[in-house]
Amino acid sequence: MKNYIVTAATVTALLFASCEEKQTLSGTDLLTDNENAIVTNDAMVDNLQEAADYEVDYLAGSDASIGSIEKSESGEKGRRPRYVNGVGPAITVNPAGYSFPKTITIDYGDGIELVNGRVLRGIIVIEVSAPIFTNGATRTVTYQNFYIDSTMLAGGGVCTFTGTDSTQRIFSHNNDITITFADGSVLYRHGERTRTLAQGFETIFDHTDDLIMITGFVTYHTDDETTFGKTIIEPLVKTGGCRYIVSGTVEFNYNNTVFASLDYGDGNCDDIATITKNGETRQITLERRRQFPWL
């Protein structure tokens, strides 16, 4: 990987561009401003990416869920408890039936609210190469004018099923996403991750018992080629009813040098985590460093 030499002022200006003010949060005195920006902005982006990934899993994560969509298209309507009042996005599947490849288009229109408070708008297109639990089957995801709250996600990625049957729901993800915040600042995110759908997916449209485990790494760069990222040390855990990562540990790097580790907690749904640097540990609050209006 190419090394880039950047100034501290460059990172601070780019990552704090959306701040109305820089809050001093509990425990952030352990990190420099640049390091704190990396940690808190990554937490925000990670939750946005997981929300998008979860939609794909929720609506097209099994042959049964795709079949349920097709029944809805043919007139058999059903409530979807992931969405407020049970009203979900408009979904089309082409071609219908047991024919592959097929394209699934999920249209959130001007906005669909999730029960966890997120609002999604725009379109996700999913190209499915084969029945979901066929070893090597792929789902190619593309975002079209797609927003989570006021943040736009562009680009997409490829998800490959690497399990052997429906009891080993393991997917390999390779994503390249452009994240544009409400103030116009931009981050470019490359991720190579493995997501294991560990429990709850037998109940296709009930998200409350879902549990996802994530391993891998993520790298970011900016328009001036500033680089930073993280590697997952202990699997991150995402549950269906929570907008936050609830447990797991990662190491953060800046210019290819590890500077701290982050522990997301013990499984409780909250925005509290602990950061460790040079043997010292502090509690921090995630997703509040940027003072966006929707947080």
Side-chain angles (χ1 to χ4, degrees), residues 47-52 55 82-85 87-89 106-124 143-153 180 243 287 293-295:
N47 283 326
L48 295 173
Q49 180 67 70
E50 276 304 307
E55 283 296 291
R82 177 165 169 76
Y83 307 102
V84 171
N85 299 323
V87 179
I106 307 171
D107 189 346
Y108 298 88
D110 293 330
I112 297 289
E113 185 177 357
L114 306 181
V115 294
N116 65 12
R118 295 278 191 209
V119 176
L120 279 58
R121 59 189 171 97
I123 294 173
I124 301 176
Y143 303 118
Q144 298 182 355
N145 199 32
F146 178 69
Y147 288 78
I148 300 177
D149 299 323
S150 296
T151 302
M152 183 172 73
L153 274 62
T180 304
R243 64 185 290 168
E287 274 211 278
W294 66 88
L295 294 176

Side-chain angles (χ1 to χ4, degrees), residues 40-53:
T40 54
N41 279 272
D42 171 75
M44 178 189 299
V45 172
D46 218 35
N47 283 326
L48 295 173
Q49 180 67 70
E50 276 304 307
D53 287 344

Side-chain angles (χ1 to χ4, degrees), residues 47 242-246 264-273 286:
N47 283 326
C242 185
R243 64 185 290 168
Y244 304 104
I245 301 294
V246 300
Y264 283 89
D266 59 4
N268 290 325
C269 180
D270 57 38
D271 58 356
I272 304 300
L286 299 172

Side-chain angles (χ1 to χ4, degrees), residues 200-254:
F201 282 82
E202 296 81 5
T203 52
I204 300 169
F205 290 116
D206 179 6
H207 72 285
T208 58
D209 57 353
D210 295 350
L211 187 147
I212 301 168
M213 301 178 67
I214 307 135
T215 59
F217 71 90
V218 173
T219 59
Y220 297 89
H221 72 273
T222 61
D223 283 328
D224 73 346
E225 297 180 327
T226 299
T227 61
F228 58 94
K230 71 177 180 186
T231 300
I232 300 171
I233 304 303
E234 295 181 3
L236 303 182
V237 176
K238 179 77 172 65
T239 59
C242 185
R243 64 185 290 168
Y244 304 104
I245 301 294
V246 300
S247 66
T249 305
V250 302
E251 286 185 342
F252 286 96
N253 63 79
Y254 175 38

